[in-house]
Amino acid sequence: MPDAADAAADESAEKKDFLYVAAVERAMRVLEAFAAKPGDLGLTEVAEMTGLGKSAAQRFVFTWEKLGYLARDPASRRLRLTSKAVELGHSYLKGDPLIAQVAPHLGVLRDQFGLAVNLSVRRGDDMVYLLRLPSRQLTLAEMLPGRRLPAWSNASGRMLLTECNDEELRAIYKRQPPLSFTPRTTTDLGSLLGEIAKARADGYVITQHQVNMHQIAVAVLATLPSGAQVAIGMATTLDDYSPARVETDLIPALFRAAAALR
């Protein structure tokens, strides 16, 4: 027979399910479609991306439009996110103690080397840039926080994946095979497992030509007092930094920044 603890856990799970509002989940699925494919979307595309019927998608789109999160082009009738979505992100970035703790250390790195510095966390099979201090070489898309990429694709993501064992990594690979951002993006499972194993042993990872050609990036893990794992990374061009120079100049500085966060 189940003991009292098991019974209490089952009761708690039932209460949580009872409180779950499925309509909110479907509404958020619509809004997240615009994050998954930046730019404007038509109603048919929204329905296809969310798995909702066209009538349901239309109602959710209309609601988000009335609330000010979506705007419709009068000519094309296509929709896009409004600046109201940015306000939510700003509130998060301004109020999150993690950002406040890490930002000064990232600022020191950027000022010391003049390179792009970023803070990343893992979200499911992806990594998300929470904070990005740009260099002059970065494009607009690369400068913006909130960008989500497959964790396989770059140094910070691969460093975050070092917390997974090989079985977990194979499952992630099966769910979401790597995308080829450049002709030299590593997509072979065996190669990726080897690179992540090396990163796990070394405590850092260096990547080249993975998201952008001629770009070199490096990342380390930092464990915060809360136990949360984040990645601190830097990126530049191979014209400015060779792998050897990254190892001698950037990696020690990244390790010092990570140690300061403990």
Side-chain angles (χ1 to χ4, degrees), residues 42-48 51-61:
L43 183 60
T44 300
E45 292 170 286
V46 172
E48 291 173 351
L52 297 170
K54 195 167 183 179
S55 177
Q58 184 177 35
R59 291 195 299 272
F60 287 123
V61 161

Side-chain angles (χ1 to χ4, degrees), residues 23-36 41 43 45-47 49-53 56-65 70 79 81:
V24 175
E25 183 272 333
R26 293 194 297 271
M28 289 306 301
R29 214 188 304 169
V30 168
L31 205 61
E32 288 170 353
F34 290 85
L41 293 175
L43 183 60
E45 292 170 286
V46 172
M49 292 175 67
T50 58
L52 297 170
Q58 184 177 35
R59 291 195 299 272
F60 287 123
V61 161
F62 178 82
T63 303
W64 284 123
E65 193 177 358
L70 294 179
L79 299 121
L81 289 172

Side-chain angles (χ1 to χ4, degrees), residues 70 129 147:
L70 294 179
Y129 290 111
R147 189 184 187 193

Side-chain angles (χ1 to χ4, degrees), residues 16-17 30 37 41 119 127 149-150 171-172 181 186 203 257:
K16 287 180 181 178
D17 288 341
V30 168
K37 188 178 179 182
L41 293 175
L119 170 71
M127 53 79 64
L149 289 169
I172 293 172
F181 289 94
T186 304

Side-chain angles (χ1 to χ4, degrees), residues 2 10 40 48 92 103 111 124 134 137 139 161 168 181 183 190 213 225-226:
D10 290 342
D40 57 11
E48 291 173 351
Y92 163 72
D111 293 344
Q137 290 93 346
T139 65
L161 288 177
E168 292 169 323
F181 289 94
M213 287 297 294
S226 65

Side-chain angles (χ1 to χ4, degrees), residues 118-120 127-132 144-147 149 154 156:
N118 56 69
L119 170 71
S120 307
M127 53 79 64
V128 177
Y129 290 111
L130 293 187
L131 188 62
R132 310 198 76 180
L144 300 175
R147 189 184 187 193
L149 289 169
N154 57 35
S156 292

Side-chain angles (χ1 to χ4, degrees), residues 4-138:
D6 290 336
D10 290 342
E11 183 180 355
S12 176
E14 288 176 4
K15 285 181 178 178
K16 287 180 181 178
D17 288 341
F18 177 75
L19 292 172
Y20 187 83
V21 182
V24 175
E25 183 272 333
R26 293 194 297 271
M28 289 306 301
R29 214 188 304 169
V30 168
L31 205 61
E32 288 170 353
F34 290 85
K37 188 178 179 182
D40 57 11
L41 293 175
L43 183 60
T44 300
E45 292 170 286
V46 172
E48 291 173 351
M49 292 175 67
T50 58
L52 297 170
K54 195 167 183 179
S55 177
Q58 184 177 35
R59 291 195 299 272
F60 287 123
V61 161
F62 178 82
T63 303
W64 284 123
E65 193 177 358
K66 284 294 183 182
L67 291 172
Y69 287 94
L70 294 179
R72 189 184 302 270
D73 182 274
S76 67
R77 309 300 294 165
R78 294 175 67 83
L79 299 121
R80 63 170 57 244
L81 289 172
T82 72
S83 59
K84 194 168 182 179
V86 179
E87 296 172 24
L88 291 176
H90 176 264
S91 297
Y92 163 72
L93 293 172
K94 186 177 180 181
D96 185 15
L98 168 62
I99 301 295
Q101 180 185 2
V102 177
H105 299 282
L106 267 61
V108 169
L109 288 172
R110 200 271 303 274
D111 293 344
Q112 181 179 358
F113 296 101
L115 303 178
V117 186
N118 56 69
L119 170 71
S120 307
V121 294
R122 186 178 163 200
R123 290 284 182 265
D125 297 344
D126 298 330
M127 53 79 64
V128 177
Y129 290 111
L130 293 187
L131 188 62
R132 310 198 76 180
L133 303 185
S135 70
R136 283 175 293 185
Q137 290 93 346
L138 289 186

